[in-house]
Amino acid sequence: TDVHPFGAAFLTIFKGENRPYSQKNIGLLYTVGALGRNRRAAGEELASAARAALVVQDPRQFVKEIFLTGVNCMTLVTEYNKNYAHRRLEDGTALPTVEVLRSPIVAGGTFMNPHVTAQQTALSLLWGYQARFADDSPEMELMPDPAMDAAYKEIQDNVGPESDMLYQEIDQNLAVGAS
């Protein structure tokens, strides 16, 4: 069995008095993106050799894992909004609705597979969000980033996951890297 935390998503809703900067900051969605390189974030201990076994070497599998991470995140938030938002707590307050989900490019930096671009990673994530978007889904706010902007433009131009454009680009990146 392949046991790893990739794609896991956790939603924490803050109590009203514990919301940073604004009452609109109702919670935090935490997710674990795929590991495309055996690296650690700045300031962390060095990556162990055992951790190398968790690296997703195949760039196609890496973007698939990022897509599934997007699916999982949007499913979690949408299901929370549908099934739990507005429920009354013991103190009489109601759980808030997640109205806006702000997202960076998950695994688009330090941990990104070396044969995949940040734009390809962002596109895969956005496709995952889009695959589970429903009436109870939040509005999306994408963190400012040129790669995220370019990926969003591709989605606006109706480039969808059924397109093999992403895999063609990955194959081209691999061919250039091999020569």
Side-chain angles (χ1 to χ4, degrees):
T1 306
D2 186 20
V3 180
H4 61 75
F6 307 140
F10 306 91
L11 180 63
T12 300
I13 302 298
F14 304 138
K15 292 181 179 180
E17 64 272 13
N18 295 330
R19 295 181 183 162
Y21 304 109
S22 166
Q23 284 300 300
K24 291 182 178 183
N25 290 329
I26 65 156
L28 174 75
L29 175 67
Y30 178 82
T31 191
V32 180
L35 186 61
R37 298 178 194 194
N38 191 19
R39 292 188 176 170
R40 294 289 217 168
E44 292 185 330
E45 63 189 41
L46 293 176
S48 69
R51 190 168 181 259
L54 299 176
V55 173
V56 181
Q57 301 287 340
D58 179 355
R60 288 172 174 251
Q61 186 62 36
F62 178 82
V63 294
K64 180 180 178 185
E65 295 238 5
I66 297 301
F67 170 83
L68 293 173
T69 299
V71 166
N72 198 31
C73 289
M74 187 57 70
T75 299
L76 174 62
V77 175
T78 300
E79 289 297 313
Y80 164 81
N81 279 348
K82 181 179 177 183
N83 297 310
Y84 296 98
H86 306 295
R87 282 195 179 182
R88 295 275 169 203
L89 301 175
E90 289 178 12
D91 66 3
T93 60
L95 288 170
T97 299
V98 177
E99 295 176 7
V100 177
L101 178 62
R102 178 182 279 182
S103 177
I105 303 172
V106 175
T110 301
F111 309 111
M112 187 172 58
N113 183 291
H115 303 292
V116 175
T117 67
Q119 182 176 334
Q120 292 165 338
T121 304
L123 186 59
S124 299
L125 181 69
L126 295 177
W127 281 339
Y129 290 154
Q130 191 177 42
R132 287 296 185 259
F133 208 77
D135 289 342
D136 293 306
S137 296
E139 175 185 324
M140 291 301 302
E141 183 178 301
L142 306 177
M143 298 294 286
D145 183 286
M148 184 68 93
D149 295 343
Y152 182 69
K153 183 182 180 324
E154 287 189 55
I155 285 183
Q156 287 179 314
D157 291 343
N158 293 315
V159 175
E162 67 283 349
S163 164
D164 64 352
M165 172 265 325
L166 178 65
Y167 294 121
Q168 289 172 358
E169 288 178 3
I170 290 170
D171 291 342
Q172 287 172 355
N173 290 350
L174 287 171
V176 169
S179 56

